[in-house]
Amino acid sequence: MESGREHFFTRDRAFYRLLFSIFSMVTLQNVVAYSVNMLDNIMLGSYAQTALSGAATVNQIFFMVQQVSLTVCDALVILASQYYGQKRLSPVRKVAGHALKLAAAWGVFFAGVCLLLPGQVLGIFTRDAAIIEQGRAYMQILLFTFPLFMLSATLMAALRVAGTVKISFYISVVSLIVNASVNYTLIFGHFGFPEMGVRGAAIGTLISRVIEFAIVSGYVRFKDKKLDLFSEDFLGLRNRDQNSERGRIDRELGKDYMRVAVPVMLTGILWAVSVPMQTAILGHLPGADASEAIAANSVSMTFYQYLKVIVAAMASASGVVMGQSVGRGDIRRIRSDARTLSVLDPAIGIILAIILFLARTPLLSMYSLSEAALRYADQIMVILCFVMVGMSYQMPVCNGVLRGSGDTTFTMWLNLISVWGIVMPLSFLAAFVWKLPVPLVVLCIQSDQIFKGLPVFLRVRSGKWIRHLTRE
């Protein structure tokens, strides 16, 4: 369906209200939520470099959990937003139910692997026995947060489809306060508690994740009125008659969800695997102190990731508004929405790059690291300023505009080819053949954030990315 006059930029104020309301609240939520891990880094960095490196190694595994959780949530938002744009709530609830079951399965899987094979998992990232010992102590506790985190994130994604985002921010604030309090008490042994170091940081994160899940599940069950998930059997637990009409619809929606989720998940998993492998490259650098390289990369990437959550929030908001727009079926409006977002995204990236450049020196002064590690971290952060601009264009346009509009296949191939066909070979060559300095190896690792911008731009220009995923 095409309607109305097509403008280069969208002029509908409702579009901007929805976009920036979701963007602002998800940004705040992401910043506060990321601060939970950030606190572990800062406090452990001031406690001991080995403890920081051990926690940073385990956080590479948690990064994989986050990325898989993101794919589950993205698939939910992509499909459910189109139904919500058509004002059809029952399919939204059913899609949310399928996403929750998948999230639970993945959470248990990750926790089980870390519980049964802790030494083998940590050995992927470093050969340093002291780092592995600290990482094992941290992971033994942290692994119990994986299922809770994935379930909480999926419930909050379902609420985001309906534009309900404030509760996620409030939950993250509570989680941050709890984590900061427990960390301060248990890492250093204040208020009469024992000094637990890295284990104290893990306990703080576990307690905060339990509280997150309790609040969001209670809100969805008793307070939410937009989606009202529990108004029907959205998990399909009471629907025993699979031959009924309701059972047939539930199965069809489950298949639709998996058709969207599989390419999104394949992309996310393989990309998530590549990131700790890239960290493992730094941990195995010949002729360099692996502990210093890991610590420098951990510190610089911590601040980069802090700003990256703002870009991720823009991608998240873009996915919701584009999904609803596709659901309504106005082709001209869809194109103008995409152009508007394609201009806003790099502008945000330039602002973030300036912030990172100006803040790098005072931020690094918070850490008690060796002179070499601090020098590496400063150089890496300068490189990441340029990476930030490229990422701020390609990520929201690729994951928000294109994938949010149902074009999951293109984004899958783009990410697989760029990461595994270009970035990984280039990173191995830079580290082990050319033996480049640590900052230049990091540049190779992050290079896809820049060169993916061109194919993303050409794809948007083609107009071949609009996919209607809903059933009648």
Side-chain angles (χ1 to χ4, degrees), residues 173-248:
V173 169
V174 172
S175 178
L176 175 63
I177 294 172
V178 171
N179 193 55
S181 303
V182 178
N183 275 6
Y184 180 75
T185 301
L186 296 184
I187 291 177
F188 304 100
H190 292 297
F191 308 119
F193 284 86
E195 180 181 327
M196 300 182 68
V198 72
R199 291 178 64 85
I203 292 172
T205 302
L206 175 60
I207 292 174
S208 65
R209 297 302 183 201
V210 170
I211 291 174
E212 282 180 6
F213 178 71
I215 295 175
V216 71
S217 57
Y219 182 87
V220 169
R221 177 65 180 88
F222 299 108
K223 287 287 291 183
D224 173 57
K225 301 302 180 186
K226 286 186 179 180
L227 290 181
D228 198 12
L229 289 181
F230 285 86
S231 63
E232 60 182 292
D233 182 22
F234 78 106
L235 289 173
L237 300 178
R238 297 189 299 272
N239 184 20
R240 303 302 182 188
D241 185 3
Q242 296 298 312
N243 296 320
S244 67
E245 180 67 12
R246 180 171 294 182
R248 181 187 64 80

Side-chain angles (χ1 to χ4, degrees), residues 4 20 41 48-49 59 157 207 214-215 217 222 260 305 330 357-358 371 416 430 462 470:
F20 285 109
N41 254 16
Q49 182 169 312
N59 280 334
I207 292 174
I215 295 175
S217 57
F222 299 108
V260 175
Q305 295 285 355
D330 186 341
F357 182 81
L358 296 177
E371 183 179 346
L416 293 184
S462 74
T470 59

